Amino acid sequence: MVSERLFRRVLVATAVAGLAAGGLAALTGRQHFAVLSWTIATVPVIGGLAAYIVRDLRSGRVGVDAIALLAMAGALALGQPLAGAVVALMYAGGNVLEDFAVARAEKSLRTLVDRAPRVAHRREGDSVNDVLVGDIAVGDGILVRRGEVVPLDGILVSETAVIDESPLTGEPLPVVRGKGAAVCSGVINTGDAFEMTATARAGDSTYAGIIRLVTAAQAAKTPFIRLVDRFALVFLPLTAMIAFVAWIISGDPMRSLAVFVSATPCPLILAAPIAFISGMALAARRGVLIKGSAAVEGLARTHTVLFDKTGTLTLGGARLLTIETAPDVSVDEVLQLGASIEQASHHVLAEVVVKAAVERGLQLKVPTAVREQVGSGLQGVIDGKLISIGSRDMIRAHGDATGWVARAARRAAWRSALIVFVAVEGHPIGALLLADELRPEASRAIRLLRDAGVARILMVTGDRAESAETIGAALDLDSILADRIPADKLDAVRIEQRLHSTTMVGDGINDAPALAAADVGIALGARGASASSEAADVVILADRLDRVGEAITIARRAHRIAIESIAVGMTLSGLAMLAATLGWLLPVPAALVQEGIDLTVILNALRALQPAHRWHRRVLPAGAGTELHHDHVALIRNLDRLRVIADALDDAAPESARSLLVEANRLVRQHVVAHERADETAVYPRIAPILVAEIGLSAMSRAHREILHLARLLERLVNDLPIEKLDRYLIRDGQRIVESIEQIVRIHTAQEEDIYEAISAA
């Protein structure tokens, strides 16, 4: 490819030099030398073009480059070397311009390969030596210095590391990883130097997998582009016929030559690849790797999208959903004790519990006398008390099945969650509900697909029907296919394919057959290369589901621009041929006109490098969106406490109920009301100019008014509590108000998160 591009530059240099020398000779009266210079400028281009045409014929292709060959050869044969030299410059210059355009469009993809590290710092005893990345073995210790690209996949040995994952995920902010965390190759160390243990050789690492995908992404040629090549079968004889008619009408072979010169559309047929490669480059900047322009065209035609559930529509793996507590026990106490014991466990769920406690800022304690009960749980001593964490069987073994335990189990069943109980001295004090959680951006991802024109969206999963239906209802999907094994997923794709162009989105090995069979397979590959990534046509490098809709939008725009470029270019070429037939364009001016047409078409195709209407889109700074998200995280902790209070009011004694309602009122006034008023006075005025329409924002303000109204009701109820004993009806009224506030604020906060996500810089 490099030698071919160099050859093209030599040809254009020869054409420029010959044309310039001939022009200078003509001005000085040396006509013979001028003719010779123009001929020398044309002949090498004819030879190079003839070689390309022979190569195409051997591969079964006929291109319209033959028209350029006829134009140059005809110009020399008819004694018009100047026209031949101009066509030669146009053709050679067009190819060089196309090389420049493709190189610019491929820059985002090629950068991945260029930045791959060649050398790693391997620890050998007390010293650190530089070795080739290919010489690193699994288990070797590696030092990564500040600012360096991580060379291989590994496990972090140092206590912490600050890592920029944007080259792989597109996320703008660095992340902090703790000891034992997995680190993917290709990310950048933006903090202090850290050490890690290699878990994969260079050829098997995440970054090597991405590079293989990049190589594949530059190789394919779509059916759409082959249609353009086949267009030459019609265009070439049509041009010859028009040139013959022009000759017959005028009796002047110069008109025939002018027609051939006007019809030279060599860069024109490169408009489609340039548009597609530009779209691929734009997608790469958004964390989406498209394996070739065939996938671009497939995305553009997408009618139906099938999603896997676990790890695709959901986050994949267990997450702490909520914490149920016994009366008079705080959420933080349950989580702190549970996580402190789980520090001694190697179970996959233990890491989830410990991580949740750390994120809440809880100080964990070191347990002693830890003992694991296989299949039921873990026990240990903290501050002289026996703490247990485990399944409900462990709780039953202690003979404790109070009312709140049954309520917690019921709520876990409703949410298809795993329940883990925490007990002190054999008495349960709380329960942790763990489950796979819907991705925060899932709703926006589905909306983007609808906006992009996708008509049908389905979910096909191996999970249980009740769990799948919950997700499907939350996202308003068109159909839900549950309890499907990989072969069933493959069948589902084939059934949809019989009706419309189908895209499959998945992330696991069990999705690979369906991804390979679909018209377009899209893999969520942020966690590293896998069988699904290898089988897919598109890989989402950023761990974000909404990139699927963006990829389809980008592909459809690139496809539309390609068609526009071809239609406009061929229309202008047709008009130029007509003008040449009527004698309005001589060979030399016709060559200059065609050069302008080709340049216009290529520049139009390069529009696909940028998103549509980019200059009209205003966004929140990335830091502002993060700040708003953190405010919501803090608010959710207070909502958790409100939920505990509401549950405790079920069977609270009058005096306990009084203190609970007073606490609820304080939380609502100090945190909920303050937050909603700050949103109304400071946040909403800030985001109003960014939103396309403020109708949705008005609806959000309406929710603020309802929340403030309920807060006033709660405050009034608390202020009017009787001095004497509370009756159960008053307690129930207070409970309903607290529950209403908690539920409305949760829904409202989730809606705001969607808005902030949509308008934040990415």
Side-chain angles (χ1 to χ4, degrees), residues 368-532:
T368 59
V370 177
R371 182 165 54 93
E372 186 168 3
Q373 295 177 313
V374 179
S376 59
L378 203 67
Q379 290 182 341
V381 177
I382 296 179
D383 295 336
K385 296 181 180 180
L386 179 65
I387 311 298
S388 306
I389 182 169
S391 66
R392 193 175 183 184
D393 291 337
M394 182 185 71
I395 302 302
R396 288 197 183 107
H398 291 84
D400 197 332
T402 57
W404 77 265
V405 171
R407 182 189 65 204
R410 184 170 59 249
R411 288 177 172 173
W414 288 344
R415 304 184 70 172
S416 299
L418 174 68
I419 187 167
V420 179
F421 286 93
V422 178
V424 176
E425 297 293 350
H427 299 290
I429 63 168
L432 310 176
L433 270 60
L434 306 170
D436 196 4
E437 194 175 9
L438 188 67
R439 285 179 177 268
E441 75 277 8
S443 295
R444 180 169 184 262
I446 299 302
R447 187 176 68 252
L448 286 176
L449 288 174
R450 303 286 190 194
D451 293 342
V454 174
R456 181 167 162 80
I457 303 177
L458 301 85
M459 178 172 65
V460 53
T461 176
D463 208 348
R464 303 184 312 274
E466 57 268 23
S467 177
E469 288 170 0
T470 299
I471 298 296
L475 297 176
D476 193 25
L477 303 181
D478 297 312
S479 183
I480 300 160
L481 307 175
D483 298 312
R484 295 306 201 265
I485 63 174
D488 296 331
K489 292 184 178 183
L490 182 61
D491 290 341
V493 167
R494 288 173 173 167
I495 290 171
E496 294 296 330
Q497 276 182 310
R498 296 191 186 108
L499 302 174
H500 300 286
S501 179
T502 299
T503 293
M504 173 72 192
V505 185
D507 77 313
I509 294 176
N510 63 334
D511 299 321
L515 291 172
D519 295 298
V520 178
I522 301 179
L524 298 186
R527 296 181 178 90
S530 64
S532 59

Side-chain angles (χ1 to χ4, degrees), residues 139-163:
D140 284 352
I142 302 171
L143 175 68
V144 182
R145 300 190 176 107
R146 179 189 292 269
E148 290 185 340
V149 176
V150 176
L152 304 103
D153 294 350
I155 297 295
L156 190 62
V157 175
S158 301
E159 291 300 322
T160 60
V162 182
I163 298 172

Side-chain angles (χ1 to χ4, degrees), residues 216-230:
Q218 297 174 340
K221 187 170 187 180
T222 75
F224 178 77
I225 297 175
R226 287 197 293 270
L227 283 174
V228 176
D229 290 335
R230 287 199 295 270

Side-chain angles (χ1 to χ4, degrees), residues 137-341:
V138 174
D140 284 352
I142 302 171
L143 175 68
V144 182
R145 300 190 176 107
R146 179 189 292 269
E148 290 185 340
V149 176
V150 176
L152 304 103
D153 294 350
I155 297 295
L156 190 62
V157 175
S158 301
E159 291 300 322
T160 60
V162 182
I163 298 172
D164 175 13
E165 297 183 344
S166 60
L168 299 186
T169 68
E171 295 298 329
L173 300 178
V175 297
V176 179
R177 300 297 184 198
K179 185 176 182 179
V183 180
C184 291
S185 56
V187 300
I188 303 171
N189 177 19
T190 57
D192 295 332
F194 64 80
E195 292 193 38
M196 55 180 281
T197 301
T199 57
R201 296 188 63 86
D204 301 323
S205 67
T206 298
Y207 206 71
I210 292 175
I211 291 175
R212 286 195 295 271
L213 297 181
V214 171
T215 303
Q218 297 174 340
K221 187 170 187 180
T222 75
F224 178 77
I225 297 175
R226 287 197 293 270
L227 283 174
V228 176
D229 290 335
R230 287 199 295 270
F231 178 73
L233 297 175
V234 176
F235 188 71
L236 182 58
L238 179 63
T239 300
M241 184 180 68
I242 294 175
F244 180 74
V245 170
W247 191 356
I248 295 298
I249 292 175
S250 64
D252 184 2
M254 291 301 171
R255 286 201 188 184
S256 179
L257 177 60
V259 170
F260 275 116
V261 172
S262 301
T264 306
C266 305
L268 172 62
I269 59 172
L270 295 166
I274 290 173
F276 285 172
I277 293 174
S278 297
M280 291 161 59
L282 175 59
R285 295 203 301 269
R286 297 295 298 161
V288 180
L289 182 61
I290 302 178
K291 298 183 187 179
S293 46
V296 176
E297 189 177 17
L299 284 172
R301 295 197 311 263
T302 297
H303 175 279
T304 301
V305 175
L306 289 88
F307 282 99
D308 172 49
K309 183 181 83 70
T310 304
T312 303
L313 290 174
T314 64
L315 292 170
R319 299 290 191 280
L320 178 62
L321 297 184
T322 188
I323 301 173
E324 301 287 336
T325 66
D328 301 323
V329 178
S330 71
V331 169
D332 286 351
E333 180 185 359
V334 173
L335 183 57
Q336 181 190 41
L337 291 175
S340 296
I341 292 294

